[in-house]
Amino acid sequence: MKPHEDQRYIQALLNNDTRLIQEIYRNNAEQVSRWIRKNSGSADDAKDIFQEALIAMYTKASQGDFQLTAPFGALLLRICKNKWIDRLRKKSRSPEVRMEDEARHKGENTHNLAEETETASIKEQILEQTFQQLSDLCRKVLKLLSEGIASSEVAIRVEMSNANSVYRRKKACTDRWRDLYNLEAKKADL
Amino acid sequence: MEEKDYIELNKYLAGELSELEHDAFAERIKNEPDLQKELVWQQETDAFLKRKKGVNNLKVTFSKIENDFFKEEKKEAKVVSINRKNWLGFVGIAAAAALLFFLFNPFASPDLYQQYSNPTAISLLDRSDVINNAKEAETAFNQGDYEKAYAFLSAYLVGNGDNLPALLAKGIAATEIGNYKEAEQILKSIDEGKTMLTGEGTWYLALMYLKKGEIEKAKIQLQKIPSANNRYEKAKSLLQDLN
């Protein structure tokens, strides 16, 4: 299937293309802002949600297959709405917004991709949250290795005896990380 | 999973095995579900850590753009009008907090500073105000000319040394022009005081350390910001980025 013409905006997020990202804001910010303000939010809330939605799309797109089947703006608005509704629900405010909204968007072809993007975004948040629970040393070792620094060099930087010690430490860290992640993922029904 | 398998898996991923060892291990992966499972987790976490950098870069781009598109109506209503004869001196502590809320980004480089600062400027004086050094200091500061702002603020503070907002502005200007020693001294004095601006002092002291590259010191400051402070969320987010 021929890619949707708005696929370039997905690419723009992956490439951090300022000009096209500006176009994304120009084309969509007002609509998102208006909807959020209409639903108990402020312009600042809208700014945060808009940013979170774009980061969610970036996350999903950077994991591989992300083919737009609807206009970028429609998907972005859908994700923003979902995020805002979830936030309101957490604050126990206006749960009726979702019901009203779900009815309105039934059958819209942004639904599946929006849900997948949201799932990727939640997983990412749990990865972040649980990564922050690791020790300073764990985070440092994992970060250095992810930057492509050779294990022997990492050993020197974190004052370990050799590369194998680094990997042993990494194992302890990633095992712990996985336990924490699985626990939170279960709570979030993932 | 046994430790030796884990180590070999990581060497496999890092390209640290010989060709022969690499091929043999690839064969094992095909046949051993435990290894496959571990491989997926390693790849997922590694990709996540790499993405963190991409996300940070995107946030910097967003921060440069977004204020043009999301106007905060509240903020516009808060422009402070003050006595023309003594600009910052007549600003009460609440107005001072409002001023600081509006302080634009003092950091020009496209990095974490931009991401964590507020780029909105404010006008405090009427056109007719002629107050020695005050108007000039404010204009220079709002235009991002920190060399000039620093000079005018220094002059203004002679005789107005107890003016906290002006002192804070000088601390920020000193940070921006790389006069870290003085910036630290000023910002520390605000951070250690018990005023409405204590949190601002802590925040800008953290940013000063960040700019200077003293990340651990920056983190210590950020951790001090209490949850009730309006910088708390940003401090938390910056801490996460620094980790």
Side-chain angles (χ1 to χ4, degrees):
Chain A
M1 199 204 296
K2 200 180 156 199
H4 194 284
E5 60 173 331
D6 285 355
Q7 192 71 29
R8 65 203 169 105
Y9 293 125
I10 301 293
Q11 209 51 46
L13 293 173
L14 291 171
N15 298 339
N16 195 6
D17 179 333
T18 306
R19 192 184 61 80
L20 277 180
I21 291 174
Q22 205 156 15
E23 204 169 296
I24 293 174
Y25 272 84
R26 193 178 309 120
N27 295 343
N28 304 286
E30 198 188 330
Q31 195 182 10
V32 170
S33 187
R34 207 182 315 122
W35 188 85
I36 288 181
R37 280 184 288 158
K38 214 173 91 183
N39 286 284
S40 324
S42 65
D44 267 353
D45 292 325
K47 187 163 75 176
D48 287 351
I49 291 287
F50 197 85
Q51 188 177 119
E52 277 179 29
L54 290 180
I55 288 170
M57 290 167 101
Y58 166 81
T59 301
K60 174 79 180 128
S62 68
Q63 289 168 354
D65 190 33
F66 191 96
Q67 289 298 322
L68 280 182
T69 51
F72 181 90
L75 178 64
L76 178 60
L77 181 63
R78 178 72 268 176
I79 296 170
C80 287
K81 285 180 176 182
N82 286 350
K83 282 188 172 293
W84 180 241
I85 289 162
D86 285 344
R87 199 182 282 189
L88 285 180
R89 193 199 273 158
K90 278 180 193 156
K91 289 181 188 170
S92 307
R93 281 160 56 191
S94 310
E96 70 276 10
V97 178
R98 176 176 271 281
M99 291 166 66
E100 175 208 323
D101 217 57
E102 271 174 356
R104 197 189 312 160
H105 289 273
K106 215 170 182 179
E108 208 181 65
N109 59 357
T110 57
H111 183 75
N112 287 347
L113 200 47
E115 290 292 317
E116 284 169 25
T117 304
E118 192 53 22
T119 305
S121 171
I122 294 168
K123 280 184 178 170
E124 194 82 344
Q125 282 164 23
I126 297 176
L127 277 171
E128 175 66 33
Q129 179 196 335
T130 48
F131 177 70
Q132 294 303 332
Q133 290 173 31
L134 301 177
S135 68
D136 286 350
L137 181 60
C138 275
R139 292 201 305 267
K140 194 167 179 184
V141 166
L142 294 174
K143 221 167 155 186
L144 290 171
L145 288 171
S146 81
E147 284 166 9
I149 295 168
S151 50
S152 51
E153 171 65 22
V154 175
I156 295 167
R157 293 205 199 175
V158 297
E159 296 174 343
M160 285 182 180
S161 52
N162 54 38
N164 279 359
S165 311
V166 170
Y167 285 135
R168 269 193 291 276
R169 168 61 67 171
K170 187 186 175 193
K171 182 174 187 325
C173 298
T174 50
D175 283 353
R176 166 91 180 127
W177 192 2
R178 179 167 35 209
D179 289 346
L180 292 167
Y181 177 84
N182 287 341
L183 201 70
E184 292 302 319
K186 203 173 165 191
K187 281 188 209 163
D189 279 335
L190 288 177
Chain B
M1 161 170 293
E2 286 192 31
E3 199 170 84
K4 68 175 176 50
D5 285 341
Y6 181 87
I7 292 176
E8 203 166 351
L9 172 66
N10 274 274
K11 288 186 174 173
Y12 166 83
L13 287 169
E16 292 173 358
L17 294 179
S18 69
E19 203 180 326
L20 208 65
E21 289 169 331
H22 181 276
D23 293 347
F25 199 75
E27 200 55 34
R28 278 190 63 192
I29 291 173
K30 275 190 208 160
N31 300 317
E32 295 180 32
D34 276 1
L35 279 182
Q36 285 166 16
K37 216 169 142 188
E38 187 62 39
L39 177 72
V40 169
W41 173 245
Q42 293 299 318
Q43 286 173 331
E44 273 181 12
T45 49
D46 193 52
F48 162 77
L49 292 168
K50 288 194 168 81
R51 264 197 309 276
K52 268 169 81 81
K53 202 172 174 187
V55 168
N56 284 340
N57 292 338
L58 268 182
K59 282 183 181 173
V60 171
T61 302
F62 296 158
S63 71
K64 287 190 227 158
I65 296 172
E66 60 192 8
N67 284 331
D68 291 340
F69 296 98
F70 291 94
K71 305 285 183 199
E72 184 52 83
E73 63 278 20
K74 271 193 322 227
K75 288 184 183 176
E76 286 162 7
K78 272 193 187 173
V79 170
V80 182
S81 171
I82 62 167
N83 188 310
R84 69 179 56 184
K85 290 206 173 147
N86 188 348
W87 69 299
L88 288 165
F90 275 80
V91 178
I93 213 70
L99 159 67
L100 291 164
F101 189 59
F102 284 110
L103 285 177
F104 55 86
N105 177 9
F107 305 104
S109 55
D111 52 22
L112 280 174
Y113 301 113
Q114 286 194 341
Q115 190 182 324
Y116 287 94
S117 53
N118 188 335
T120 313
I122 185 174
S123 171
L124 286 173
L125 297 174
D126 293 337
R127 282 176 188 280
S128 55
D129 277 319
V130 193
I131 301 159
N132 283 347
N133 305 308
K135 180 74 178 168
E136 291 89 342
E138 183 192 277
T139 305
F141 196 79
N142 283 344
Q143 286 174 350
D145 187 346
Y146 298 104
E147 293 276 355
K148 228 185 223 179
Y150 174 83
F152 283 119
L153 281 162
S154 299
Y156 173 76
L157 281 161
V158 176
N160 295 286
D162 57 349
N163 189 309
L164 273 181
L167 201 60
L168 182 65
K170 188 181 171 186
I172 295 168
T175 300
E176 182 56 33
I177 63 176
N179 191 351
Y180 297 124
K181 204 172 166 190
E182 190 177 5
E184 184 176 25
Q185 192 192 358
I186 293 171
L187 296 171
K188 250 188 179 172
S189 72
I190 299 171
D191 164 55
E192 287 165 1
K194 286 198 170 96
T195 67
M196 284 281 286
L197 297 186
T198 301
E200 292 300 307
T202 314
W203 170 248
Y204 281 104
L205 186 58
L207 289 181
M208 189 280 292
Y209 286 133
L210 185 63
K211 186 164 190 278
K212 203 179 165 193
E214 294 185 347
I215 306 300
E216 290 310 312
K217 283 188 177 175
K219 285 188 196 172
I220 291 169
Q221 291 305 313
L222 292 169
Q223 281 160 355
K224 277 169 53 182
I225 295 178
S227 57
N229 190 282
N230 64 4
R231 297 287 186 192
Y232 176 73
E233 287 302 325
K234 282 200 166 183
K236 204 167 90 178
S237 166
L238 177 53
L239 261 175
Q240 280 187 0
D241 288 339
L242 290 175
N243 287 326

